[in-house]
Amino acid sequence: MIAILGAGSMGRLWAATLPAGQVAFVPRPGQAPDSVCYRFQPIDDKSVSVTVPWLQPGQSPDLLLVTTKAGNTLEALKAALPSIANSTPILLFQNGLGSQQQVAQTWPSRPVLAASTTEGANRPEPGLTVHAGRGDTWVGALNPVGHPLVKRVTQLLADSGLAVHPEQDILAKLWQKLVINAGINAFTAVLDCPNGEILEQPFYQRWINPLCREISHLLAAAGRPEHTPEALRETIEAVARRTAANTSSMRADVLARRTTEIDFINGYLMRLGRQHGIPTPVNQMLTEQVQQLN
Ligand code: KPL
């Protein structure tokens, strides 16, 4: 049995694709007792109706997927973990960086793993979850207790039929995604436009080079492989073009009046800059502008 904490788009994508009857959502405090029911639209098939029960007291999951927003993760896990065995692997799906490290530090004796995924899912209306784009999911350990479980967790997730791979250096994957999100998401939220449209906007063109210079310094300071600002810009723009029509997760959060993950994306880079004595005025400006939208 796989338990899922967080019934947003990503949680519902995994719940709909993993074998039926083997998935349950973890109830949040004060949760209504009814199962979670929704329609699921696969990429190239007819939509199906999905019913996912809540995890019952005494049920012991083989794996806990955590698909909460980065800012809610610690609090949600503090409420959920007392009833989940110490040996159950915790697999974190959060965007950005910072929340994963908080979890690994708070529960050092539990197996903590992280996933980086390029699967696309969204909820265009309340009862509908759409698998919007096929991608890949990489799974790797964040602490020593998690290492021996990477293969098993990857196999459990691969039962969904989605492409899941074990990853030795999951931090590298999380950094790659962080760079892309740092260069796209805040711009789409501030400019209120789909990913591809930022490329033509004067505000983006004014700030993207200085932003990439900041990120390039931060990568070197964090001991990650170095990338020139030009290479970072190319990577960001290739993804913006490939996902041109997408509404980024940050713009979607702003439009739905949800808290964004800015504190774990450009906000994380700003805090890292402070730690290393590297000025990050562009990350700070983007963080503040998105915080104001919230
Ligand atoms: O990951 C994304 C997000 O929206 O969070 C991108 C890659 C920008 C795609 O929309």
Side-chain angles (χ1 to χ4, degrees):
M1 141 87 53
I2 297 183
I4 304 179
L5 178 61
S9 309
M10 204 35 77
R12 288 175 188 227
L13 170 67
W14 289 104
T17 50
L18 283 162
Q22 289 181 38
V23 183
F25 282 121
V26 180
R28 312 286 280 270
Q31 190 77 61
D34 311 341
S35 304
V36 180
C37 301
Y38 54 99
R39 289 207 73 71
F40 175 66
Q41 176 62 65
I43 289 180
D44 42 22
D45 212 340
K46 284 204 293 278
S47 75
V48 287
S49 163
V50 179
T51 301
V52 186
W54 295 107
L55 191 70
Q56 297 301 312
Q59 269 185 317
S60 177
D62 303 308
L63 170 62
L64 174 65
L65 302 192
V66 186
T67 51
T68 47
K69 289 271 173 198
N72 301 334
T73 299
L74 205 59
E75 191 195 336
L77 276 171
K78 279 182 181 160
L81 284 182
S83 54
I84 291 183
N86 252 307
S87 54
T88 304
I90 302 171
L91 179 59
L92 303 170
F93 271 87
Q94 283 61 46
N95 271 333
L97 273 173
S99 69
Q100 300 89 340
Q101 290 93 330
Q102 283 177 340
V103 173
Q105 279 159 17
T106 308
W107 291 281
S109 60
R110 286 183 179 263
V112 181
L113 298 89
S116 178
T117 186
T118 56
E119 294 291 350
N122 58 52
R123 284 193 291 165
E125 51 190 82
L128 175 67
T129 299
V130 176
H131 188 187
R134 214 184 294 285
D136 290 276
T137 300
W138 293 269
V139 171
L142 281 182
N143 65 2
V145 221
H147 273 291
L149 298 169
V150 171
K151 206 168 152 212
R152 170 92 190 107
V153 168
T154 306
Q155 279 164 350
L156 282 171
L157 275 195
D159 286 345
S160 62
L162 304 182
V164 188
H165 322 279
E167 173 58 49
Q168 281 285 333
D169 187 359
I170 193 66
L171 263 185
K173 288 277 178 215
L174 294 173
W175 260 102
Q176 275 168 19
K177 189 143 189 245
L178 175 71
V179 168
I180 290 161
N181 291 143
I184 296 179
N185 293 26
F187 288 109
T188 61
V190 172
L191 296 166
D192 191 20
C193 67
N195 295 357
E197 281 182 24
I198 57 171
L199 302 173
E200 309 307 325
Q201 299 272 349
F203 178 70
Y204 171 85
Q205 290 168 353
R206 164 75 187 85
W207 295 114
I208 188 64
N209 283 343
L211 175 69
C212 288
R213 281 197 289 274
E214 288 180 16
I215 299 175
S216 177
H217 285 144
L218 291 167
L219 280 165
R224 306 310 312 177
E226 293 186 26
H227 292 273
T228 62
E230 295 72 31
L232 293 173
R233 181 170 176 172
E234 264 172 40
T235 306
I236 289 165
E237 297 195 346
V239 177
R241 271 185 232 105
R242 203 173 59 237
T243 62
N246 277 24
T247 287
S248 78
S249 55
M250 192 169 287
R251 178 176 179 229
D253 285 341
V254 171
L255 292 174
R257 298 178 185 280
R258 292 187 293 259
T259 308
T260 69
E261 298 187 302
I262 191 72
D263 289 345
F264 300 88
I265 300 177
N266 303 88
Y268 173 81
L269 294 171
M270 188 181 94
R271 290 193 299 280
L272 193 68
R274 258 185 226 140
Q275 266 172 36
H276 291 283
I278 295 172
T280 56
V282 185
N283 279 293
Q284 180 167 348
M285 178 273 292
L286 290 171
T287 303
E288 287 169 0
Q289 291 221 9
V290 173
Q291 282 167 345
Q292 276 162 24
L293 296 176
N294 269 162

